[in-house]
Amino acid sequence: MKRSQLGYLMSLPELIADAQTTEERFLRQIFVRDQMAEWSKSPLLMAKADGVFYWDVNGKRYLDALSGIYTVSVGHNNRRVIEAIRKQLDTLHFSPPMHGSNPVAVQLANLIAEIAPGDLNTVKFECAGSEVTEAAIKLARQYHRLTGNASKYKIISRYQSWHGSTLGALSASGLKSRKTVNEPLAPGFLHVFPPTCYRCPFGKEYPSCEITCATLIGEVIEMEDPSTVAAVMVEPIGHTGGIIDPPPEYLPLLRKICDQNNVLLIFDEIITGMGRTGRMFAAETFGVTPDVICTAKGLSGGFVPLSAMLTRKKIADVFWGPAASNPGFVEGHTFEGSPVACAAGIAVLREILDNDLCGNARRQGDVVRAGFERLAKKYEVIGDIRGKGLLQGIEFVKDRRTKERLPDSFGLKVGRRALGNGLLCRFDPHWLAFGPALNCTSAQVAEMLALLDQSIGEVLDGAAGRHDA
Ligand SMILES: Cc1ncc(COP(=O)(O)O)c(C=O)c1O
């Protein structure tokens, strides 16, 4: 009989030891994001971190070129953020979300309003990225309802995008590998092709293409009937499609199309927000002010879950009473605006602003770019380099001229080899990306690039039969 069946008399069993957490029999008790049977053969369990380094339970060190997953924006073990959390825990760790908010949440909302572009000055806090993209979808629908356009409900987003794993956010996402198993998804979501210039879905070339990928969105809205379309949601730089960095005209064109059709433009800045592209928001990097920005990940530096949806004044104003005809924004979660999370958010923002980490993201981004370009001179398999600031990636090809892809998921091999060599980066079958902490140094970036160089070389050597890849 399992001990839990002893019922309420049971005391908590002993914890298993750290070293045992890599054993398959114990790993069978937890789901992770991978195929468990494969992963458990060589599981990665992080035990400690500091600055841009992780150490796993076996004491192996990893250089974190991914800031966890674009989240540890101001470095692991950042004392300023830890002290802010500690102080907040001693004062107020939870406030009643159904009855109000707390000073820390209001302070952070006002700070964000100050630094956000344009009049994006009203903030809804949540915990996860998925929660704020869902909130943005709901906001768009409720906004149109409150302004007399209740028939506007459709959300247009892009293939290969990722807006989150809850069912609404997943319905907006365009990533086949993560969608199909959950279908059918919610109705009212349409997908268009992203601006993948390197492999234009329309067989065109920039700039003679005249940005078909953007103008077609206007045509889709027209075909669907503008009176049914609520919002267009895009990541300014698409991540999961392989760092899809749009041509400069793309986002301004989307802005124009949305304005012409009374459709809200939502930027999913869950990765690109909070300094990653070299400005606080990618909206500024591209010079386009959307109606809504969703941000998460780096906002709390990964110390506690925190996400935020920012909306323009003219939209927020619609939700401001009178109570008899207007319920306010109907959306919320238990942990929204947690004082501890908001204290972390304030400390992270201070750290970014006091140390000009946006500037550092631009400078280190140049170092990453120069390094990727050096690697592209050395390795023919690097077909393209894309991204901005500290969100940059490379695409692997077999033949640069034809852009034919390499067989056998070359990117996965390089990424796994990199892990073996103590480098954490984002890898996919055909691309790989860096997204280190905003306060990384040039020396650390150089070390990341050297480990990537070594890893690509070793995989190519293995492919040539010199040793196992
Ligand atoms: C662009 C983007 N949007 C939304 C999400 C969902 O965020 P979360 O995993 O915190 O729910 C992610 C997560 O990786 C993301 O990259």
Side-chain angles (χ1 to χ4, degrees):
M1 184 166 64
K2 273 185 89 164
R3 274 193 284 177
S4 58
Q5 286 167 293
L6 294 173
Y8 62 89
L9 288 177
M10 187 193 87
S11 59
L12 192 66
E14 287 285 298
L15 275 186
I16 59 166
D18 283 1
Q20 293 178 299
T21 58
T22 56
E23 291 178 27
E24 188 193 309
R25 65 193 167 122
F26 294 114
L27 289 174
R28 288 195 85 112
Q29 318 263 247
I30 182 173
F31 280 118
V32 294
R33 293 270 290 267
D34 231 322
Q35 169 40 251
M36 292 297 301
E38 277 307 303
W39 179 78
S40 63
K41 287 180 195 156
S42 166
L44 179 59
L45 288 142
M46 294 307 190
K48 199 175 89 170
D50 190 37
V52 291
F53 296 103
Y54 273 115
W55 286 264
D56 71 14
V57 281
N58 301 313
K60 178 174 167 172
R61 195 188 82 164
Y62 298 82
L63 190 50
D64 183 7
L66 188 57
S67 46
I69 178 73
Y70 309 105
T71 300
V72 184
S73 50
V74 293
H76 297 277
N77 198 16
N78 183 298
R79 300 318 300 174
R80 181 186 224 161
V81 186
I82 291 168
E83 282 315 313
I85 291 173
R86 208 189 290 278
K87 209 167 140 216
Q88 189 56 46
L89 282 171
D90 284 340
T91 317
L92 175 79
H93 81 279
F94 192 81
S95 63
M98 298 286 285
H99 302 76
S101 187
N102 60 80
V104 200
V106 179
Q107 282 162 347
L108 179 58
N110 278 273
L111 269 187
I112 293 175
E114 280 294 315
I115 59 165
D119 61 347
L120 282 143
N121 59 13
T122 306
V123 181
K124 174 80 179 173
F125 290 117
E126 310 269 14
C127 299
S130 309
E131 287 173 7
V132 270
T133 49
E134 293 243 8
I137 292 164
K138 291 180 186 169
L139 178 105
R141 289 179 174 172
Q142 204 188 331
Y143 165 76
H144 288 303
R145 183 174 289 270
L146 286 169
T147 49
N149 294 302
S151 63
K152 281 170 107 51
Y153 71 97
K154 291 176 188 164
I155 308 294
I156 298 178
S157 52
R158 303 189 308 211
Y159 290 117
Q160 294 184 296
S161 65
W162 182 244
H163 299 296
S165 57
T166 51
L167 277 174
L170 187 62
S171 303
S173 300
L175 208 58
K176 180 174 69 178
S177 58
R178 297 185 192 172
K179 276 163 76 95
T180 311
V181 289
N182 286 302
E183 280 172 341
L185 295 172
F189 290 85
L190 298 149
H191 295 88
V192 292
F193 284 98
T196 33
C197 287
Y198 187 64
R199 298 179 184 279
C200 178
F202 308 103
K204 298 190 175 184
E205 288 226 355
Y206 176 79
S208 59
C209 63
E210 295 182 339
I211 327 294
T212 304
C213 49
T215 54
L216 261 183
I217 296 179
E219 285 171 43
V220 169
I221 293 173
E222 192 49 44
M223 291 294 153
E224 287 292 327
D225 183 351
S227 74
T228 67
V229 180
V232 170
M233 178 152 74
V234 296
E235 299 158 74
I237 296 179
H239 175 248
T240 38
I243 317 299
I244 302 174
D245 193 358
E249 300 88 341
Y250 178 84
L251 292 171
L253 258 171
L254 280 198
R255 178 69 278 177
K256 198 166 147 207
I257 292 164
C258 287
D259 285 344
Q260 284 165 348
N261 292 285
N262 187 22
V263 164
L264 298 193
L265 179 59
I266 302 169
F267 280 0
D268 175 345
E269 294 225 32
I270 282 154
I271 289 180
T272 59
M274 313 323 295
R276 183 140 302 279
T277 67
R279 305 272 168 215
M280 196 56 88
F281 294 96
E284 297 157 278
T285 300
F286 289 98
V288 173
T289 307
D291 297 300
V292 180
I293 289 181
C294 300
T295 185
K297 293 194 187 284
L299 176 60
S300 68
F303 286 89
V304 274
L306 177 66
S307 58
M309 182 199 74
L310 291 58
T311 189
R312 296 183 74 173
K313 181 171 179 349
K314 68 166 187 183
I315 296 162
D317 282 352
V318 168
F319 291 83
W320 188 266
S325 58
N326 188 334
F329 183 26
V330 184
E331 155 64 16
H333 289 270
T334 301
F335 283 93
E336 70 179 54
S338 139
V340 176
C342 291
I346 292 172
V348 167
L349 273 180
R350 289 213 168 105
E351 194 74 350
I352 293 176
L353 294 171
D354 289 353
N355 299 305
D356 184 25
L357 295 187
C358 293
N360 194 53
R362 292 196 296 277
R363 287 188 295 279
Q364 301 312 328
D366 290 345
V367 180
V368 172
R369 175 61 63 128
F372 282 173
E373 280 166 0
R374 266 196 319 278
L375 292 179
K377 285 203 181 100
K378 184 169 174 186
Y379 299 114
E380 281 284 315
V381 291
I382 297 179
D384 198 24
I385 302 170
R386 299 188 285 267
K388 293 201 165 34
L390 286 176
L391 173 60
Q392 297 201 47
I394 52 184
E395 179 165 338
F396 296 111
V397 289
K398 186 173 176 197
D399 182 327
R400 276 188 188 164
R401 200 181 46 80
T402 62
K403 300 180 186 173
E404 185 189 341
R405 292 205 151 118
L406 279 155
D408 302 333
S409 302
F410 184 82
L412 297 187
K413 287 187 175 175
V414 173
R416 286 183 189 134
R417 174 66 66 163
L419 272 180
N421 289 330
L423 174 72
L424 189 82
C425 52
R426 175 70 160 86
F427 52 90
D428 241 55
H430 303 291
W431 60 272
L432 179 151
F434 274 11
L438 306 180
N439 56 0
C440 63
T441 65
S442 306
Q444 289 163 345
V445 171
E447 202 184 331
M448 291 168 194
L449 288 161
L451 285 170
L452 178 61
D453 184 355
Q454 177 190 341
S455 307
I456 296 175
E458 286 173 2
V459 172
L460 286 171
D461 277 0
R466 282 191 279 276
H467 56 73
D468 180 25

Short mmCIF file of all heavy atoms in Angstrom, two decimals, residues 267-313:
data_model
loop_
_atom_site.label_atom_id
_atom_site.label_comp_id
_atom_site.label_asym_id
_atom_site.label_seq_id
_atom_site.Cartn_x
_atom_site.Cartn_y
_atom_site.Cartn_z
N PHE A 267 1.14 43.38 -29.75
CA PHE A 267 2.50 42.85 -29.83
C PHE A 267 2.72 41.88 -28.68
O PHE A 267 2.59 42.26 -27.51
CB PHE A 267 3.54 43.96 -29.73
CG PHE A 267 3.78 44.73 -31.01
CD1 PHE A 267 3.09 44.43 -32.17
CD2 PHE A 267 4.74 45.74 -31.05
CE1 PHE A 267 3.31 45.15 -33.35
CE2 PHE A 267 4.98 46.46 -32.21
CZ PHE A 267 4.26 46.16 -33.36
N ASP A 268 3.03 40.65 -29.00
CA ASP A 268 3.46 39.68 -28.00
C ASP A 268 4.95 39.90 -27.79
O ASP A 268 5.77 39.45 -28.58
CB ASP A 268 3.14 38.26 -28.48
CG ASP A 268 3.67 37.20 -27.52
OD1 ASP A 268 4.51 37.52 -26.66
OD2 ASP A 268 3.27 36.03 -27.67
N GLU A 269 5.28 40.64 -26.73
CA GLU A 269 6.69 40.96 -26.43
C GLU A 269 7.17 40.16 -25.22
O GLU A 269 7.94 40.65 -24.40
CB GLU A 269 6.85 42.46 -26.18
CG GLU A 269 6.58 43.31 -27.41
CD GLU A 269 7.64 44.40 -27.58
OE1 GLU A 269 8.81 44.18 -27.21
OE2 GLU A 269 7.28 45.46 -28.08
N ILE A 270 6.65 38.94 -25.13
CA ILE A 270 7.02 38.12 -23.98
C ILE A 270 8.51 37.78 -24.01
O ILE A 270 9.16 37.71 -22.97
CB ILE A 270 6.08 36.91 -23.91
CG1 ILE A 270 4.77 37.44 -23.32
CG2 ILE A 270 6.64 35.76 -23.09
CD1 ILE A 270 3.55 36.70 -23.68
N ILE A 271 9.06 37.64 -25.20
CA ILE A 271 10.51 37.48 -25.31
C ILE A 271 11.17 38.83 -25.60
O ILE A 271 12.18 39.18 -24.99
CB ILE A 271 10.87 36.47 -26.42
CG1 ILE A 271 10.49 35.05 -25.97
CG2 ILE A 271 12.36 36.54 -26.75
CD1 ILE A 271 10.79 33.96 -26.97
N THR A 272 10.62 39.59 -26.55
CA THR A 272 11.34 40.80 -27.02
C THR A 272 11.27 41.97 -26.04
O THR A 272 12.03 42.93 -26.18
CB THR A 272 10.77 41.26 -28.38
OG1 THR A 272 9.36 41.53 -28.23
CG2 THR A 272 10.97 40.22 -29.46
N GLY A 273 10.37 41.89 -25.05
CA GLY A 273 10.20 43.00 -24.12
C GLY A 273 11.32 43.11 -23.10
O GLY A 273 12.20 42.24 -23.02
N MET A 274 11.29 44.19 -22.33
CA MET A 274 12.20 44.44 -21.22
C MET A 274 13.67 44.42 -21.63
O MET A 274 14.50 43.79 -21.00
CB MET A 274 11.94 43.44 -20.07
CG MET A 274 10.48 43.25 -19.69
SD MET A 274 9.42 44.71 -19.76
CE MET A 274 10.10 45.75 -18.51
N GLY A 275 13.94 45.11 -22.73
CA GLY A 275 15.33 45.39 -23.10
C GLY A 275 15.99 44.44 -24.07
O GLY A 275 17.09 44.70 -24.56
N ARG A 276 15.35 43.33 -24.37
CA ARG A 276 16.07 42.28 -25.11
C ARG A 276 16.56 42.72 -26.50
O ARG A 276 17.62 42.32 -26.94
CB ARG A 276 15.19 41.02 -25.22
CG ARG A 276 15.90 39.88 -25.92
CD ARG A 276 15.67 38.54 -25.32
NE ARG A 276 16.03 38.37 -23.93
CZ ARG A 276 17.26 38.14 -23.47
NH1 ARG A 276 18.27 38.04 -24.32
NH2 ARG A 276 17.48 38.00 -22.18
N THR A 277 15.77 43.53 -27.19
CA THR A 277 16.21 43.91 -28.54
C THR A 277 17.04 45.20 -28.54
O THR A 277 17.33 45.77 -29.58
CB THR A 277 15.03 44.07 -29.52
OG1 THR A 277 14.25 45.21 -29.11
CG2 THR A 277 14.16 42.83 -29.58
N GLY A 278 17.39 45.68 -27.32
CA GLY A 278 18.22 46.88 -27.24
C GLY A 278 17.44 48.13 -26.90
O GLY A 278 18.02 49.20 -26.71
N ARG A 279 16.14 48.03 -26.85
CA ARG A 279 15.26 49.09 -26.32
C ARG A 279 14.35 48.39 -25.33
O ARG A 279 14.20 47.17 -25.37
CB ARG A 279 14.40 49.73 -27.42
CG ARG A 279 15.18 50.27 -28.58
CD ARG A 279 15.63 51.72 -28.36
NE ARG A 279 16.60 52.08 -29.38
CZ ARG A 279 17.64 52.89 -29.19
NH1 ARG A 279 17.86 53.42 -28.00
NH2 ARG A 279 18.47 53.17 -30.16
N MET A 280 13.67 49.18 -24.49
CA MET A 280 12.85 48.52 -23.47
C MET A 280 11.83 47.58 -24.13
O MET A 280 11.59 46.48 -23.67
CB MET A 280 12.16 49.57 -22.59
CG MET A 280 11.62 49.01 -21.31
SD MET A 280 12.84 48.17 -20.27
CE MET A 280 13.48 49.51 -19.28
N PHE A 281 11.24 48.05 -25.23
CA PHE A 281 10.30 47.20 -25.97
C PHE A 281 10.69 47.17 -27.45
O PHE A 281 11.18 48.19 -27.98
CB PHE A 281 8.86 47.73 -25.82
CG PHE A 281 8.35 47.65 -24.41
CD1 PHE A 281 8.42 48.76 -23.57
CD2 PHE A 281 7.84 46.46 -23.91
CE1 PHE A 281 7.98 48.69 -22.25
CE2 PHE A 281 7.40 46.38 -22.59
CZ PHE A 281 7.48 47.50 -21.76
N ALA A 282 10.42 46.06 -28.09
CA ALA A 282 10.73 45.97 -29.53
C ALA A 282 9.87 46.96 -30.31
O ALA A 282 10.22 47.37 -31.42
CB ALA A 282 10.50 44.54 -30.04
N ALA A 283 8.74 47.36 -29.73
CA ALA A 283 7.90 48.40 -30.36
C ALA A 283 8.76 49.61 -30.67
O ALA A 283 8.60 50.25 -31.72
CB ALA A 283 6.75 48.76 -29.43
N GLU A 284 9.69 49.95 -29.75
CA GLU A 284 10.57 51.10 -29.97
C GLU A 284 11.66 50.76 -30.98
O GLU A 284 12.02 51.59 -31.81
CB GLU A 284 11.21 51.53 -28.65
CG GLU A 284 10.20 51.99 -27.62
CD GLU A 284 10.76 51.86 -26.21
OE1 GLU A 284 10.70 50.74 -25.66
OE2 GLU A 284 11.24 52.84 -25.68
N THR A 285 12.16 49.55 -30.92
CA THR A 285 13.19 49.13 -31.88
C THR A 285 12.66 49.28 -33.31
O THR A 285 13.38 49.68 -34.21
CB THR A 285 13.59 47.65 -31.61
OG1 THR A 285 14.10 47.58 -30.28
CG2 THR A 285 14.64 47.15 -32.58
N PHE A 286 11.37 48.96 -33.49
CA PHE A 286 10.79 49.03 -34.83
C PHE A 286 10.02 50.34 -35.06
O PHE A 286 9.47 50.55 -36.16
CB PHE A 286 9.86 47.84 -35.07
CG PHE A 286 10.60 46.53 -35.21
CD1 PHE A 286 10.73 45.66 -34.15
CD2 PHE A 286 11.20 46.19 -36.41
CE1 PHE A 286 11.42 44.46 -34.27
CE2 PHE A 286 11.90 45.00 -36.56
CZ PHE A 286 12.01 44.14 -35.48
N GLY A 287 9.93 51.19 -34.05
CA GLY A 287 9.25 52.48 -34.20
C GLY A 287 7.76 52.36 -34.47
O GLY A 287 7.19 53.18 -35.21
N VAL A 288 7.12 51.36 -33.87
CA VAL A 288 5.68 51.19 -34.08
C VAL A 288 5.00 51.03 -32.71
O VAL A 288 5.42 50.21 -31.90
CB VAL A 288 5.39 49.92 -34.93
CG1 VAL A 288 3.89 49.64 -35.00
CG2 VAL A 288 5.97 50.08 -36.31
N THR A 289 3.97 51.82 -32.47
CA THR A 289 3.25 51.69 -31.20
C THR A 289 2.00 50.84 -31.42
O THR A 289 1.09 51.25 -32.14
CB THR A 289 2.84 53.08 -30.67
OG1 THR A 289 4.02 53.89 -30.62
CG2 THR A 289 2.23 52.98 -29.28
N PRO A 290 1.96 49.66 -30.81
CA PRO A 290 0.75 48.83 -30.94
C PRO A 290 -0.32 49.31 -29.97
O PRO A 290 -0.09 50.22 -29.18
CB PRO A 290 1.27 47.44 -30.55
CG PRO A 290 2.35 47.74 -29.54
CD PRO A 290 2.97 49.06 -29.93
N ASP A 291 -1.47 48.68 -30.00
CA ASP A 291 -2.53 49.02 -29.05
C ASP A 291 -2.33 48.30 -27.72
O ASP A 291 -2.77 48.78 -26.68
CB ASP A 291 -3.90 48.65 -29.63
CG ASP A 291 -4.16 49.45 -30.89
OD1 ASP A 291 -4.19 50.68 -30.81
OD2 ASP A 291 -4.28 48.84 -31.98
N VAL A 292 -1.71 47.14 -27.81
CA VAL A 292 -1.50 46.32 -26.61
C VAL A 292 -0.11 45.69 -26.70
O VAL A 292 0.31 45.25 -27.78
CB VAL A 292 -2.55 45.17 -26.53
CG1 VAL A 292 -2.34 44.32 -25.29
CG2 VAL A 292 -3.97 45.73 -26.56
N ILE A 293 0.60 45.68 -25.57
CA ILE A 293 1.86 44.93 -25.49
C ILE A 293 1.70 43.88 -24.39
O ILE A 293 1.22 44.20 -23.29
CB ILE A 293 3.06 45.85 -25.13
CG1 ILE A 293 3.42 46.76 -26.32
CG2 ILE A 293 4.27 45.03 -24.73
CD1 ILE A 293 4.61 47.69 -26.06
N CYS A 294 2.11 42.66 -24.69
CA CYS A 294 2.15 41.61 -23.67
C CYS A 294 3.61 41.36 -23.33
O CYS A 294 4.43 41.14 -24.24
CB CYS A 294 1.57 40.31 -24.21
SG CYS A 294 -0.13 40.46 -24.75
N THR A 295 3.94 41.40 -22.05
CA THR A 295 5.32 41.12 -21.68
C THR A 295 5.33 40.19 -20.47
O THR A 295 4.36 40.13 -19.71
CB THR A 295 6.09 42.45 -21.45
OG1 THR A 295 7.47 42.15 -21.21
CG2 THR A 295 5.55 43.24 -20.26
N ALA A 296 6.41 39.44 -20.33
CA ALA A 296 6.49 38.47 -19.21
C ALA A 296 7.98 38.15 -18.99
O ALA A 296 8.77 39.06 -18.81
CB ALA A 296 5.68 37.22 -19.55
N LYS A 297 8.32 36.89 -19.05
CA LYS A 297 9.69 36.38 -18.90
C LYS A 297 10.64 37.32 -18.16
O LYS A 297 10.74 37.29 -16.94
CB LYS A 297 10.24 36.04 -20.28
CG LYS A 297 9.52 34.83 -20.92
CD LYS A 297 10.29 34.30 -22.08
CE LYS A 297 9.56 33.22 -22.88
NZ LYS A 297 9.56 31.90 -22.25
N GLY A 298 11.36 38.22 -18.90
CA GLY A 298 12.40 39.05 -18.30
C GLY A 298 11.89 40.09 -17.32
O GLY A 298 12.67 40.68 -16.57
N LEU A 299 10.59 40.32 -17.28
CA LEU A 299 10.01 41.37 -16.43
C LEU A 299 10.35 41.15 -14.95
O LEU A 299 10.58 42.10 -14.22
CB LEU A 299 8.49 41.40 -16.64
CG LEU A 299 7.65 42.34 -15.79
CD1 LEU A 299 8.05 43.79 -15.98
CD2 LEU A 299 6.16 42.17 -16.13
N SER A 300 10.36 39.91 -14.53
CA SER A 300 10.70 39.63 -13.12
C SER A 300 12.07 38.98 -13.01
O SER A 300 12.43 38.46 -11.95
CB SER A 300 9.66 38.70 -12.49
OG SER A 300 9.77 37.43 -13.10
N GLY A 301 12.80 38.96 -14.11
CA GLY A 301 14.12 38.34 -14.09
C GLY A 301 14.08 36.84 -13.83
O GLY A 301 15.11 36.22 -13.57
N GLY A 302 12.89 36.25 -13.87
CA GLY A 302 12.78 34.81 -13.63
C GLY A 302 12.74 34.45 -12.15
O GLY A 302 12.70 33.27 -11.80
N PHE A 303 12.75 35.44 -11.27
CA PHE A 303 12.76 35.13 -9.84
C PHE A 303 11.40 34.63 -9.36
O PHE A 303 11.31 33.78 -8.48
CB PHE A 303 13.20 36.35 -9.03
CG PHE A 303 14.67 36.60 -9.16
CD1 PHE A 303 15.18 37.39 -10.18
CD2 PHE A 303 15.56 35.99 -8.29
CE1 PHE A 303 16.54 37.59 -10.31
CE2 PHE A 303 16.92 36.18 -8.42
CZ PHE A 303 17.42 36.99 -9.44
N VAL A 304 10.35 35.20 -9.90
CA VAL A 304 8.97 34.81 -9.56
C VAL A 304 8.13 35.00 -10.82
O VAL A 304 8.47 35.83 -11.66
CB VAL A 304 8.37 35.71 -8.45
CG1 VAL A 304 8.73 35.23 -7.07
CG2 VAL A 304 8.81 37.15 -8.63
N PRO A 305 7.04 34.25 -10.96
CA PRO A 305 6.20 34.43 -12.16
C PRO A 305 5.56 35.81 -12.17
O PRO A 305 4.98 36.24 -11.18
CB PRO A 305 5.14 33.34 -12.02
CG PRO A 305 5.69 32.36 -11.04
CD PRO A 305 6.55 33.16 -10.09
N LEU A 306 5.71 36.50 -13.31
CA LEU A 306 5.09 37.83 -13.46
C LEU A 306 4.95 38.15 -14.94
O LEU A 306 5.91 38.00 -15.71
CB LEU A 306 5.96 38.91 -12.79
CG LEU A 306 5.47 40.36 -12.93
CD1 LEU A 306 4.14 40.57 -12.19
CD2 LEU A 306 6.51 41.36 -12.39
N SER A 307 3.77 38.59 -15.32
CA SER A 307 3.58 39.06 -16.69
C SER A 307 2.69 40.30 -16.64
O SER A 307 2.03 40.56 -15.63
CB SER A 307 2.94 37.96 -17.55
OG SER A 307 1.70 37.55 -17.01
N ALA A 308 2.72 41.05 -17.74
CA ALA A 308 1.94 42.29 -17.76
C ALA A 308 1.39 42.54 -19.16
O ALA A 308 2.08 42.28 -20.15
CB ALA A 308 2.82 43.47 -17.33
N MET A 309 0.15 43.01 -19.20
CA MET A 309 -0.45 43.45 -20.46
C MET A 309 -0.61 44.96 -20.37
O MET A 309 -1.23 45.48 -19.44
CB MET A 309 -1.81 42.79 -20.65
CG MET A 309 -2.47 43.15 -21.96
SD MET A 309 -4.25 42.83 -21.90
CE MET A 309 -4.81 44.17 -20.89
N LEU A 310 -0.02 45.68 -21.33
CA LEU A 310 -0.09 47.14 -21.35
C LEU A 310 -1.05 47.54 -22.46
O LEU A 310 -0.97 47.01 -23.57
CB LEU A 310 1.27 47.74 -21.72
CG LEU A 310 2.46 47.66 -20.78
CD1 LEU A 310 2.84 46.25 -20.40
CD2 LEU A 310 3.66 48.31 -21.46
N THR A 311 -1.90 48.50 -22.15
CA THR A 311 -2.83 48.93 -23.19
C THR A 311 -2.89 50.46 -23.29
O THR A 311 -2.61 51.15 -22.33
CB THR A 311 -4.23 48.30 -22.97
OG1 THR A 311 -5.02 48.58 -24.10
CG2 THR A 311 -4.92 48.85 -21.74
N ARG A 312 -3.22 50.92 -24.48
CA ARG A 312 -3.25 52.37 -24.73
C ARG A 312 -4.40 53.03 -23.97
O ARG A 312 -5.42 52.39 -23.69
CB ARG A 312 -3.40 52.63 -26.23
CG ARG A 312 -2.22 52.14 -27.02
CD ARG A 312 -2.37 52.47 -28.46
NE ARG A 312 -2.16 53.89 -28.70
CZ ARG A 312 -2.10 54.42 -29.91
NH1 ARG A 312 -2.26 53.65 -30.99
NH2 ARG A 312 -1.89 55.69 -30.07
N LYS A 313 -4.19 54.31 -23.72
CA LYS A 313 -5.15 55.05 -22.90
C LYS A 313 -6.56 55.01 -23.49
O LYS A 313 -7.54 54.76 -22.80
CB LYS A 313 -4.67 56.49 -22.74
CG LYS A 313 -5.56 57.35 -21.88
CD LYS A 313 -4.92 58.68 -21.59
CE LYS A 313 -5.77 59.61 -20.77
NZ LYS A 313 -7.16 59.30 -20.53
#
